[in-house]
Amino acid sequence: ELKVEQNPLFLSMQEGKNYTIYCNYSTTSDRLYWYRQDPGKSLESLFVLLSNGAVKQEGRLMASLDTKARLSTLHITAAVHDLSATYFCAVDPHQGGSQGNLIFGKGTKLSVKP
Amino acid sequence: SQTIHQWPATLVQPVGSPLSLECTVEGTSNPNLYWYRQAAGRGLQLLFYSVGIGQISSEVPQNLSASRPQDRQFILSSKKLLLSDSGFYLCAWAGISYEQYFGPGTRLTVT
């Protein structure tokens, strides 16, 4: 059974600081996704990582994927309050004939304080 | 562009009552569709997915069911709600890279 583990689950940061959220998964996969959820809202897609070594950046967020280590990271640079949200990683466990049944981590609740 | 709708947005239902939540997608054909539930402060649990009309796969046995009567319509139902059915229900469709796009959600409270 595929397991997706995120850490930390809770993260309190000061504005201007850098930090990294980790996503480990337990089986072979080359498809990993990052989502953001604001309180009371739905999920918003942030990044799609589809190969080993993939790196995507958007603003202060950068995501990377190491399929050999079964690890993805979401790096936050110079955090600002607007980044406060819960971040989920999700893994597609199927090779080839995928049906997109993603397995989600438990989420990392990020709070950025002045 | 593609959009996904869910209704109702919020729902309060007594235990034992029936449930019907609807999800529709616009701007795409034959999408894979998914129903998730998110309990308060928790992660997402995949309930059902569908790769086509009338094709439903269940991930978790429970008192919920799903149907896909039309290509871009996905319905989540229950004959008798339980307290444990409370949560935030999200519908999603999958794009080319199986990236999932989520609807706005339905917040269900069973009393």
Side-chain angles (χ1 to χ4, degrees):
Chain A
E1 178 188 347
L2 171 64
K3 292 185 178 179
V4 180
E5 295 185 351
Q6 288 182 236
N7 70 83
L9 297 182
F10 298 93
L11 177 56
S12 182
M13 297 177 63
Q14 279 192 314
E15 282 190 330
K17 298 293 187 181
N18 304 333
Y19 209 84
T20 300
I21 299 171
Y22 297 89
C23 175
N24 291 90
Y25 53 98
S26 61
T27 195
T28 303
S29 176
D30 56 2
R31 300 185 189 207
L32 191 136
Y33 309 81
W34 283 96
Y35 291 87
R36 168 181 172 145
Q37 185 178 36
D38 291 306
K41 302 293 186 181
S42 185
L43 274 73
E44 172 191 356
S45 179
L46 291 175
F47 300 109
V48 179
L49 304 169
L50 299 178
S51 62
N52 185 41
V55 178
K56 296 280 184 73
Q57 183 165 5
E58 180 73 32
R60 301 175 187 274
L61 300 177
M62 183 173 71
S64 65
L65 177 62
D66 181 342
T67 59
K68 295 179 181 177
R70 300 178 185 175
L71 170 69
S72 179
T73 61
L74 180 65
H75 187 72
I76 303 157
T77 301
V80 293
H81 179 70
D82 285 352
L83 291 179
S84 298
T86 299
Y87 294 85
F88 291 93
C89 65
V91 176
D92 185 342
H94 299 282
Q95 301 286 337
S98 175
Q99 293 174 325
N101 296 355
L102 305 184
I103 307 298
F104 282 78
K106 293 184 177 180
T108 297
K109 186 172 182 178
L110 171 65
S111 176
V112 181
K113 305 189 176 186
Chain B
S1 63
Q2 301 86 3
T3 55
I4 180 168
H5 304 279
Q6 286 186 247
W7 62 87
T10 60
L11 193 59
V12 180
Q13 292 283 96
V15 168
S17 64
L19 174 73
S20 181
L21 303 181
E22 189 165 344
C23 169
T24 58
V25 181
E26 296 177 357
T28 185
S29 296
N30 197 31
N32 284 8
L33 296 173
Y34 308 84
W35 276 112
Y36 291 89
R37 176 170 62 201
Q38 185 177 35
R42 305 284 295 276
L44 274 73
Q45 179 186 37
L46 178 64
L47 301 175
F48 301 94
Y49 69 93
S50 171
V51 299
I53 295 174
Q55 300 179 63
I56 308 294
S57 296
S58 173
E59 290 293 303
V60 182
Q62 56 210 325
N63 69 321
L64 299 173
S65 62
S67 62
R68 186 169 176 175
Q70 300 180 42
D71 182 42
R72 288 169 285 182
Q73 184 185 32
F74 205 21
I75 296 172
L76 182 69
S77 303
S78 173
K79 293 181 178 179
K80 288 186 178 181
L81 283 169
L82 306 172
L83 283 174
S84 58
D85 291 324
S86 292
F88 192 37
Y89 287 81
L90 291 161
C91 179
W93 70 277
I96 293 175
S97 303
Y98 293 106
E99 177 182 8
Q100 292 191 12
Y101 300 93
F102 287 82
T106 295
R107 194 163 302 280
L108 171 66
T109 303
V110 182
T111 60

